[in-house]
Amino acid sequence: MTTYPEASPDTAPENLPEVAPQTMNLAQPVFQAAGQHPDKTAFLCREGATSYEALTERISALAGALEQLGLQTGDKVGLLLYNTSAFAVAYFALLSIGVAVIPLNTRLTAPELDTILNDAEARLLISSLEFYETVTRLQLPALEGIILDTELLQNESELDPLLNAFPLSCALYRLDELLERQLSPAMPLPYDLPPDTLATLIYTSGTTGKPKGVMLSHQNILADARANVAVIEAVPDDRFITISPLFHVFGQTNILVSAMLVGASVVLVRKFSPKTVLEAIQRHKVTFMAAVPTMYLMMLTHLREKSFDLSSLRVCHSGAAPMAVETFHDVEKFFGAPVQEGYGLSEASSIVCSNPLHGVRKPGAVGLPLNGVKIKVLLEDRQEAAPREIGELYVQGDIVMLGYYKRPEETEKTLLAFPDGIWLKTKDLAYKDEDGYIHIVDRTDDLINIGGVKVYPREIEEVFYQHPAVQAVAVTGVPSTLHHEAIKAFVVPKNGHACTKEILLEFCRGRLADFKIPKYYEFVDAIPQGATGKILRKDLSRDI
């Protein structure tokens, strides 16, 4: 049985950049990697490869230009970009001078972006021509300027009309021109910052109202990335791939920062498509990939129709949502690499626990706490749950957020004081087994109330995934005058398989108690999901 002790100098991953406890900066590992192996490839994308030396030169140039525009430590800047080298350069340039990054969901509309950028008090926005129409609809009178990546349009005759017709009154800058500015003398980067300096504001999806800004410090993200590097056993020869969007905390912490910590390479996929990702793994010999179960299901569909050379993969990480046991085994079969399931959340800088690569991996479990992380499962009376007794998951450690931006009441409801310190209340229902492995049951918000009895959607979905005709499924509660709620299943059938309500009802009998068998069924082409692939239950129709 592999366990993870408390982090200490004796248990810290080897060969990682040392960071003084009084000061730190998330950009520091990038510069250290450049000093150790300047010619090593930092990023691979469709435009070509970028070395660590070239990366730090671009980061330094942009950081200097941003300071010339008046940015100071403590300011905040929005980042609306796909998974590109421009994202990485802007991200580390801002962090290097102590400016907080606001990574923005690329699917948001202009009014939604207005809400976030206004709440965050952003001074600037860095985006690209791909979002030109959205950016020009922004209504942010306090925004001082917008920096556009114009890389997609190399022809100035096509670019000039767009820039000349820019309708907003704030200043407009071109990213390529800012990068060309020469600084004399060279800036000493990155700045030494207090560990609790705000690094990024991650805005939640707003499922329970307006989105909240999760405040993560340089220490939060660095602690989580170091623990992630240890559990995935990352090495400089690794090649990570950006399947998850970089605007999400997972993409930043578990891919971008983790890769920079060990001086590995990152294959940048602008946005997820199953075919593009599989081709990139084959072409660039990717060794580490991380995705959510719905993404794996989409890639499995392609792998059943066409073979790809995925022999370079050494681990397939899965998170953000529980992976069905059937999917777990299918992924290991078709990808030829072990599945490493984990669990995390934005409020804890990303990953909290994970199955070990060497030792016991339990399908359906999200593993053991990472280095430096403490976890407990509590009942409603705050008593610790017994093994296999379901309660709410609480997390403690350097990875736990500073709080919600400008929302002290929400922060007080989430960061709770106990005799042994502050703990993060996750709202996730879980249990520990006899070996200490964590099993996520469901979100407290997703529980279905059947006549006073709580039903877990995931338990039902696990049964559906065992049927060969089911490609994907999501279960939710719908209004019922008799039992408060009834159960409805949204099913994506597999191509070439008969899949009807009657077939599924018969399959569920004997596998689920009668009151857990869905009463209503809707057959759909796809399950609604966010940009990270997480199921959006709030978008499922509650019509019956």
Side-chain angles (χ1 to χ4, degrees):
M1 177 68 62
T2 302
T3 59
Y4 293 96
E6 290 299 301
S8 70
D10 293 329
T11 60
E14 295 182 359
N15 301 321
L16 293 188
E18 291 299 324
V19 180
Q22 295 83 14
T23 60
M24 60 179 59
N25 193 308
L26 268 176
Q28 183 178 342
V30 185
F31 285 81
Q32 288 182 324
Q36 293 166 0
H37 34 71
D39 296 329
K40 174 79 179 292
T41 296
F43 294 110
L44 284 158
C45 59
R46 69 184 187 187
E47 292 80 23
T50 302
S51 70
Y52 270 95
E53 183 176 52
L55 175 61
T56 53
E57 288 174 354
R58 296 183 73 198
I59 291 171
S60 297
L62 183 57
L66 292 171
E67 286 205 319
Q68 289 178 347
L69 295 180
L71 284 184
Q72 301 175 347
T73 297
D75 286 336
K76 293 175 284 293
V77 171
L79 208 55
L80 181 64
L81 292 163
Y82 287 122
N83 294 349
T84 60
S85 59
F87 184 106
V89 170
Y91 183 79
F92 288 116
L94 292 165
L95 293 172
S96 69
I97 58 174
V99 175
V101 181
I102 313 163
L104 298 162
N105 189 325
T106 54
R107 293 185 176 183
L108 296 182
T109 63
E112 290 170 318
L113 293 170
D114 285 338
T115 298
I116 291 174
L117 292 170
N118 181 63
D119 182 76
E121 302 166 298
R123 288 189 61 185
L124 296 175
L125 171 66
I126 302 177
S127 188
S128 77
L129 287 177
E130 293 169 288
F131 302 99
Y132 183 87
E133 294 298 325
T134 300
V135 168
T136 55
R137 292 190 176 96
L138 294 175
Q139 297 184 17
L140 294 165
L143 194 69
E144 297 174 20
I146 294 174
I147 300 171
L148 280 180
D149 178 11
T150 59
E151 185 179 40
L152 287 179
L153 279 183
Q154 299 294 338
N155 190 333
E156 293 291 330
S157 64
E158 297 179 35
L159 181 59
D160 288 342
L162 291 174
L163 300 182
N164 293 334
F166 196 73
L168 302 186
S169 59
C170 64
L172 180 64
Y173 308 95
R174 287 176 53 171
L175 180 61
D176 59 337
E177 292 178 349
L178 293 180
L179 288 170
E180 289 172 2
R181 293 188 182 184
Q182 299 298 316
L183 298 176
S184 181
M187 293 177 60
L189 291 176
Y191 293 175
D192 286 336
L193 302 170
D196 61 353
T197 301
L198 182 63
T200 183
L201 271 176
I202 304 288
Y203 275 81
T204 63
S205 57
T207 56
T208 57
K210 287 188 176 180
K212 301 187 293 288
V214 175
M215 296 189 293
L216 298 177
S217 68
H218 285 252
Q219 181 183 46
N220 289 152
I221 297 177
L222 187 58
D224 202 45
R226 289 174 69 90
N228 177 61
V229 162
V231 79
I232 67 175
E233 303 177 15
V235 295
D237 289 338
D238 271 324
R239 285 194 169 183
F240 292 64
I241 187 169
T242 58
I243 296 179
S244 295
L246 290 176
F247 66 72
H248 190 268
V249 68
F250 187 90
Q252 293 165 53
T253 303
N254 298 77
I255 304 298
L256 193 58
V257 178
S258 292
M260 300 296 102
L261 270 172
V262 296
S265 304
V266 179
V267 176
L268 294 166
V269 176
R270 296 177 75 86
K271 46 187 175 179
F272 175 75
S273 85
K275 183 172 180 289
T276 301
V277 168
L278 292 169
E279 288 175 344
I281 294 171
Q282 178 176 268
R283 182 183 314 114
H284 298 297
K285 306 301 180 186
V286 169
T287 61
F288 177 82
M289 66 180 295
V292 300
T294 50
M295 291 177 174
Y296 278 115
L297 286 169
M298 295 167 71
M299 288 186 283
L300 283 170
T301 298
H302 280 262
L303 288 172
R304 289 187 176 98
E305 297 173 355
K306 181 183 177 182
S307 62
F308 292 83
D309 181 4
L310 309 179
S311 58
S312 60
L313 282 172
R314 66 174 185 84
V315 60
C316 296
H317 184 87
S318 179
M323 177 179 278
V325 175
E326 293 294 316
T327 306
F328 180 101
H329 293 304
D330 283 347
V331 171
E332 293 206 332
K333 173 183 175 182
F334 283 92
F335 284 85
V339 171
Q340 185 182 41
E341 285 190 88
Y343 160 83
L345 64 164
S346 297
E347 287 85 347
S349 306
S350 186
I351 191 166
V352 169
C353 54
S354 174
N355 277 275
L357 274 182
H358 296 97
V360 177
R361 287 185 302 116
K362 296 188 178 185
V366 294
L368 301 162
L370 268 61
N371 283 340
V373 178
K374 294 180 181 178
I375 287 178
K376 57 185 176 184
V377 179
L378 299 182
L379 305 175
E380 290 185 2
D381 60 3
R382 287 198 172 190
Q383 294 300 308
E384 196 131 11
R388 297 198 175 272
E389 187 176 16
I390 295 172
E392 186 173 349
L393 196 65
Y394 285 73
V395 178
Q396 186 184 72
D398 287 342
I399 66 173
V400 172
M401 68 173 180
L402 301 174
Y404 293 115
Y405 187 59
K406 298 191 299 187
R407 285 170 172 76
E409 292 183 0
E410 291 288 338
T411 299
E412 289 179 6
K413 294 176 183 177
T414 307
L415 299 180
L416 304 183
F418 286 78
D420 58 346
I422 301 297
W423 287 78
L424 170 66
K425 176 183 172 72
T426 68
K427 290 189 176 182
D428 285 311
L429 296 172
Y431 67 85
K432 285 185 181 181
D433 64 21
E434 294 77 7
D435 299 319
Y437 281 61
I438 303 296
H439 299 250
I440 302 296
V441 178
D442 248 311
R443 290 283 292 172
T444 56
D445 299 335
D446 292 337
L447 289 180
I448 303 170
N449 188 346
I450 307 294
V453 178
K454 298 296 190 293
V455 175
Y456 303 107
R458 187 194 173 191
E459 179 185 4
I460 301 169
E461 292 165 356
E462 284 279 0
V463 171
F464 273 72
Y465 274 116
Q466 295 172 26
H467 196 284
V470 174
Q471 170 68 33
V473 63
V475 169
T476 188
V478 294
S480 169
T481 55
L482 182 61
H483 296 299
H484 183 66
E485 284 187 299
I487 302 173
K488 182 177 180 180
F490 296 79
V491 181
V492 179
K494 279 185 184 174
N495 291 335
H497 289 77
C499 192
T500 65
K501 175 181 178 179
E502 291 70 28
I503 289 173
L504 295 176
L505 280 171
E506 182 61 30
F507 184 77
C508 288
R509 292 189 184 103
R511 291 178 172 86
L512 289 169
D514 288 346
F515 70 92
K516 296 180 182 179
I517 297 176
K519 182 178 181 180
Y520 302 101
Y521 294 77
E522 186 172 331
F523 294 91
V524 295
D525 294 329
I527 303 295
Q529 51 187 276
T532 61
K534 184 179 283 188
I535 292 175
L536 299 177
R537 295 187 195 274
K538 66 183 179 68
D539 291 347
L540 295 171
S541 169
R542 291 174 64 85
D543 295 337
I544 57 177

